[in-house]
Amino acid sequence: MPRETIASPAQRLQVPLSFRASQGAIEQDPIVRSRAGAINRERADAVKETFQFAWDGYSKYCFGEDELQPVTNTCGRSRNGWGATAIDALSTALVMQIDPIVNKILEFVPTIDFTKTEDSVSLFETTIRYLGGLLSAYDLLQGPLADLASNSSAVDELLVQAKSLADTLKYAFDTPSGVPYNNLVLSRKSNDGATSNGLATTGTLVLEWQRLSDITGDPEYGRLAQKAESHLLNPLPEFAEPFPGLLGTNIDIETGKFTDSNGGWNGGDDSFYEYLIKMYAYDSSRYSQYRDRWILAANSTIEYLTSHPASRPDLTFLASFQDTALVYSSQHLTCFDGGNFLLGGEILKRQDLIDFGLALVNGCHETYDRTATSIGPESFSWDTRYIDESQREFFDKSGFYITNGAYVLRPEVVESYYYAFRITGDSKYQDWAWDAFVAINATTRTSSGFTSISDVNAPGGGQKYNNQESFFFAEVLKYSYLIHAPDAPWQTNHNGVNEFIYNTEAHPLRVAGASI
């Protein structure tokens, strides 16, 4: 299809929005400040129109299904057929204040039967996408965005359905240790027979399940997640913690003990660390142990995992570890790390953590800036022992080489730009987010949505994988919008505090304690 027939607002605005202004200039010059404000409005509106475009494609071909396959305009069922895209899109439609989409999804929510599916259910994915999405919408519609719901009873249904979902899933925690099974078979109220669960899949439940308890007044949900988390906050045996606060990956479901000492901030471990500081932000009066464990992990990360590529010592990446041996590779998933350090640094008022977070953000920016599409790869390395000669020149210039060139519409780099801007106020992070948005739009857009691609360093992104993940709506478009949008209670660091905290799927949940 000719490019002009599917050109987006982002593409049309690319040239006039090339303006760059320092934070200081914006603060001091009213003309510059006015123009910067106009640019931010244009950019936010462009992202909002892109969300509407992608929603229209999903709504036309696959509404109520999990995702649109945007090359063939067929439907995917990767999340149990419960309408993952609709639920993941809801909190984004809310913060964008798109009333028709909000109310269409609200009408859909009561029709979902969370007790039935023929597919294996991931406790982790279902918690962060569905439970998190329902609770976030409830918090927003019971609070600062109450006027968006045309039917107040539909708001109540969000909580009814969240409770129904958690009641369906909670048997997963019925194990000798309380560490849950992750892969569930609802039709038999059973599981896949696994003997272990992972650090992230065990440690990324507590925010959503505790929020449900705090809203409903039923302590059971939070107690279940907290019992599982207790094995991560007090890890055994000792070898599972090769560096203070940094843990292995696999936990025995029977005993709650770790079975290895391999880990880091990559996928499989990542959001456990993310939630430690976020639980403290959620309620500092209850969760000081989470803060303390995060500080241990953050300090050890700086001391032991910081790595600078030989060809670009100005860049900072995080190594992972096998026991105490370092592995010099990373992932797109890992690039949330800069944002997490920034959030922790701001909450704890530690400039060293903020500075380190900004260094990580800069490193991940390079993974976008150096590829042919200006989009970062799924995984990369800077271990000089394993460079293929075909990538030697690329490594010498870029400081990394690509080990998996796919892009599956992941949000983590833009997510960290968002935190960097909200905490520093430096407009360069808005520019970087805009550049990423324009690149994603130019490379992954189809006639009905956005598709995963096979190779970010190939012209046009290589092969189109024909899948539009629900988290594209929940995360990529939300962070791309919020970084340019006006301040609001759901924004991070709003008036110097956090009234809402974002789960790992970018669903904002109202904090239970004093805002910090």
Side-chain angles (χ1 to χ4, degrees):
M1 182 175 292
R3 174 65 62 89
E4 60 269 19
T5 64
I6 57 172
S8 73
Q11 292 167 322
R12 295 196 301 271
L13 290 171
Q14 186 173 5
V15 174
L17 292 184
S18 61
F19 169 74
R20 300 289 185 268
S22 72
Q23 182 186 7
I26 292 173
E27 291 173 347
Q28 295 170 20
D29 187 330
I31 296 175
V32 173
R33 186 168 62 245
S34 175
R35 187 177 179 198
I39 288 171
N40 286 334
R41 286 192 296 274
E42 285 183 300
R43 288 176 171 180
D45 287 345
V47 179
K48 188 173 177 178
E49 289 185 49
T50 297
F51 177 91
Q52 182 73 61
F53 163 76
W55 173 263
D56 287 345
Y58 166 74
S59 185
K60 177 179 180 179
Y61 296 108
C62 294
F63 182 76
E65 300 291 340
D66 287 337
E67 60 267 322
L68 170 69
Q69 296 165 332
V71 176
T72 57
N73 293 330
T74 50
C75 306
R77 188 189 171 94
S78 69
R79 297 294 158 213
N80 307 103
W82 293 329
T85 290
I87 304 304
D88 252 355
L90 179 53
S91 66
T92 305
L94 279 163
V95 299
M96 290 180 175
Q97 302 182 55
I98 309 177
D99 303 32
I101 296 178
V102 168
N103 285 289
K104 181 171 183 174
I105 300 172
L106 289 178
E107 290 175 4
F108 167 69
V109 167
T111 70
I112 305 169
D113 186 350
F114 284 120
T115 68
K116 294 181 181 178
T117 181
E118 296 305 312
D119 308 315
S120 175
V121 176
S122 165
L123 177 64
F124 164 74
E125 293 286 359
T126 305
T127 292
I128 66 172
R129 300 192 198 210
Y130 287 111
L131 187 59
L134 293 168
L135 293 174
S136 174
Y138 184 81
D139 275 342
L140 290 167
L141 287 166
Q142 286 286 347
L145 294 171
D147 60 322
L148 291 184
S150 59
N151 179 359
S152 61
S153 64
V155 179
D156 297 333
E157 282 296 319
L158 293 166
L159 188 57
V160 170
Q161 285 288 62
K163 190 175 184 301
S164 171
L165 177 57
D167 286 340
T168 298
L169 299 175
K170 66 185 180 183
Y171 79 87
F173 295 92
D174 187 14
T175 68
S177 67
V179 172
Y181 290 97
N182 186 60
N183 300 312
L184 309 178
V185 182
L186 298 190
S187 60
R188 299 196 302 270
K189 205 172 182 180
S190 63
N191 54 73
D192 64 349
T195 59
S196 65
N197 201 348
L199 183 62
T201 47
T202 302
T204 316
L205 308 172
V206 66
L207 178 59
E208 295 85 353
W209 285 71
Q210 188 61 54
R211 185 63 189 146
L212 181 60
S213 276
D214 289 342
I215 294 173
T216 62
D218 184 343
E220 179 184 22
Y221 308 109
R223 186 169 61 241
L224 290 170
Q226 295 283 352
K227 184 177 180 182
E229 189 85 14
S230 69
H231 298 285
L232 314 184
L233 298 174
N234 305 282
L236 292 173
E238 289 186 8
F239 72 71
E241 194 171 358
F243 307 105
L246 296 174
L247 307 182
T249 295
N250 296 296
I251 307 105
D252 187 279
I253 292 173
E254 182 83 13
T255 66
K257 294 181 178 181
F258 281 79
T259 62
D260 65 69
S261 55
N262 306 328
W265 291 69
N266 293 344
D269 303 306
D270 45 4
S271 46
F272 161 68
Y273 300 105
E274 176 187 356
Y275 272 28
L276 291 177
I277 194 63
K278 288 185 173 181
M279 284 302 291
Y280 179 66
Y282 176 70
D283 192 342
S284 59
S285 67
R286 283 187 281 175
Y287 300 117
S288 59
Q289 186 183 8
Y290 286 75
R291 173 203 60 199
D292 295 344
R293 292 297 299 184
W294 187 84
I295 291 171
L296 269 181
N299 289 343
S300 287
T301 297
I302 293 172
E303 182 173 356
Y304 299 110
L305 304 188
T306 301
S307 183
H308 305 290
S311 62
R312 289 285 306 277
D314 57 307
L315 300 183
T316 300
F317 297 130
L318 293 186
S320 55
F321 56 87
Q322 295 178 353
D323 194 24
T324 56
L326 298 187
V327 179
Y328 301 106
S329 63
S330 192
Q331 302 169 339
H332 197 293
L333 284 164
T334 316
C335 282
F336 86 97
D337 54 9
N340 197 238
F341 270 84
L342 283 156
L343 177 65
E346 179 64 21
I347 288 171
L348 300 172
K349 307 306 177 189
R350 279 185 53 180
Q351 188 63 41
D352 62 325
L353 296 176
I354 292 174
D355 292 343
F356 188 71
L358 292 174
L360 294 174
V361 172
N362 183 65
C364 287
H365 172 255
E366 286 295 300
T367 69
Y368 269 56
D369 195 49
R370 294 287 169 169
T371 70
T373 60
S374 296
I375 302 172
E378 178 73 358
S379 62
F380 57 96
S381 177
W382 56 102
D383 191 327
T384 56
R385 295 172 297 174
Y386 305 116
I387 303 174
D388 187 281
E389 283 306 309
S390 65
Q391 292 204 64
R392 174 70 64 177
E393 183 179 357
F394 182 86
F395 171 74
D396 289 343
K397 293 179 179 178
S398 306
F400 68 95
Y401 56 93
I402 296 169
T403 53
N404 181 342
Y407 176 66
V408 296
L409 305 178
R410 293 205 188 277
E412 292 80 15
V413 173
V414 175
E415 174 185 353
S416 284
Y417 295 162
Y418 171 72
Y419 283 97
F421 171 69
R422 292 297 305 177
I423 288 165
T424 70
D426 190 335
S427 63
K428 84 174 179 182
Y429 300 111
Q430 292 177 304
D431 295 334
W432 288 1
W434 178 252
D435 291 342
F437 172 72
V438 169
I440 291 166
N441 183 82
T443 306
T444 71
R445 190 180 178 101
T446 73
S447 62
S448 59
F450 295 83
T451 182
S452 302
I453 55 174
S454 66
D455 190 351
V456 296
N457 211 29
Q463 179 185 352
K464 288 179 167 55
Y465 282 155
N466 194 28
N467 190 53
Q468 181 177 258
E469 285 276 3
S470 68
F471 55 66
F472 180 71
F473 291 86
E475 301 186 74
V476 174
L477 294 178
K478 183 182 283 102
Y479 288 126
S480 295
Y481 173 78
L482 288 177
I483 196 170
H484 303 297
D487 199 14
W490 51 83
Q491 291 268 28
T492 293
N493 204 30
H494 170 63
N495 291 332
V497 295
N498 297 284
E499 297 179 31
F500 286 76
I501 199 75
Y502 286 74
N503 87 333
T504 197
E505 192 81 358
H507 294 305
L509 299 171
R510 185 181 283 281
V511 301
S515 299
I516 60 173

